[in-house]
Amino acid sequence: MKLAKAIEYLDLARAELEAGDDDPSGLAGVILVVAKEEIGNGEEGGNNSGPHVAKYKSILDDNDDDDDGAWCAAFVSWCAEEACRRMESTLPFKRSQGAKQLGKRIAAAGRKLDEPEPGCVVVWDRGKLKPNGKPSWMGHIGIVERVEDGIMHTIEGNVGRFPSKVRRFAHDLSRENKIELFAAMEAG
């Protein structure tokens, strides 16, 4: 049954992506299916709030418009967790609410990449450099959908002002100077 489920979701992933050498397989392919299903979902009622944000953060939605905190890493964690559930496998890393910490955990459980590939995560530094020249603790994380002609297409959550939604973005890699990490996830 486990293999049949994995094949079913891989077939879905392949059907949704363009044919070619960049088709992801395994967990990466299923994560992309899950992330695409969430496009348009996100904040409702207040900044960093609502039922979708609560689902990503694995908390109860209290129907309050309070700020439940940044959710980009929670979105990526939830997509990976849901993909593993669908494949009947174990999440190979511990969830994190912090983008940089999550990226490090994914790289440690999977592999660090020199270049982005479909289904991997990309981590950016989002803060000012410290006086010693090192990056800040603040970051952002998204899922790479594909790379074409130097443009990295991603699916990301918690970008922009309220009401932020899960959506697609395009990043010119020649202009990106705050990328810290690309990491591939592998099922446990």
Side-chain angles (χ1 to χ4, degrees), residues 24 28 31-32 106 111 113 115-122 142-145 152 181-185:
I31 285 171
L32 280 175
I106 291 169
R111 58 193 164 88
L113 303 169
E115 299 291 327
E117 59 185 46
C120 81
V121 297
V122 54
I143 300 168
V144 175
E145 186 173 15
M152 178 177 62
L181 175 72
F182 299 111
M185 298 180 241

Side-chain angles (χ1 to χ4, degrees), residues 62-126:
D62 57 9
N63 292 316
D64 191 353
D65 293 348
D66 61 342
D67 187 329
D68 292 323
W71 53 276
C72 64
F75 168 70
V76 171
S77 291
W78 182 87
C79 287
E81 194 170 62
E82 176 63 13
C84 285
R85 186 192 66 74
R86 292 180 186 187
M87 294 176 67
E88 298 178 355
S89 65
T90 306
L91 186 66
F93 53 87
K94 186 177 175 187
R95 290 179 61 121
S96 176
Q97 301 295 318
K100 290 185 178 186
Q101 182 64 41
L102 180 60
K104 289 175 187 173
R105 289 178 180 175
I106 291 169
R111 58 193 164 88
K112 190 173 178 182
L113 303 169
D114 293 326
E115 299 291 327
E117 59 185 46
C120 81
V121 297
V122 54
V123 178
W124 290 270
D125 178 59
R126 286 292 189 235

Side-chain angles (χ1 to χ4, degrees), residues 35-182:
K36 288 177 187 179
E37 291 170 357
E38 294 300 308
I39 291 173
N41 293 335
E43 298 171 350
E44 294 178 21
N47 187 46
N48 296 331
S49 296
H52 299 291
V53 173
K55 174 178 73 172
Y56 304 144
K57 294 177 84 62
S58 295
I59 60 174
L60 291 176
D61 180 22
D62 57 9
N63 292 316
D64 191 353
D65 293 348
D66 61 342
D67 187 329
D68 292 323
W71 53 276
C72 64
F75 168 70
V76 171
S77 291
W78 182 87
C79 287
E81 194 170 62
E82 176 63 13
C84 285
R85 186 192 66 74
R86 292 180 186 187
M87 294 176 67
E88 298 178 355
S89 65
T90 306
L91 186 66
F93 53 87
K94 186 177 175 187
R95 290 179 61 121
S96 176
Q97 301 295 318
K100 290 185 178 186
Q101 182 64 41
L102 180 60
K104 289 175 187 173
R105 289 178 180 175
I106 291 169
R111 58 193 164 88
K112 190 173 178 182
L113 303 169
D114 293 326
E115 299 291 327
E117 59 185 46
C120 81
V121 297
V122 54
V123 178
W124 290 270
D125 178 59
R126 286 292 189 235
K128 294 180 181 178
L129 288 178
K130 295 178 182 176
N132 63 5
K134 293 190 177 190
S136 76
W137 63 269
M138 293 183 288
H140 179 68
I141 190 168
I143 300 168
V144 175
E145 186 173 15
R146 68 184 186 281
V147 180
E148 294 175 339
D149 301 322
I151 305 298
M152 178 177 62
H153 299 266
T154 60
I155 300 174
E156 303 169 42
N158 201 29
V159 177
R161 294 175 184 237
F162 171 80
S164 179
K165 305 289 184 191
V166 173
R167 56 190 173 129
R168 288 182 161 109
F169 292 88
H171 302 274
D172 183 341
L173 288 169
S174 69
R175 295 179 179 209
E176 290 287 333
N177 62 359
K178 291 220 163 201
I179 292 175
E180 289 195 359
L181 175 72
F182 299 111

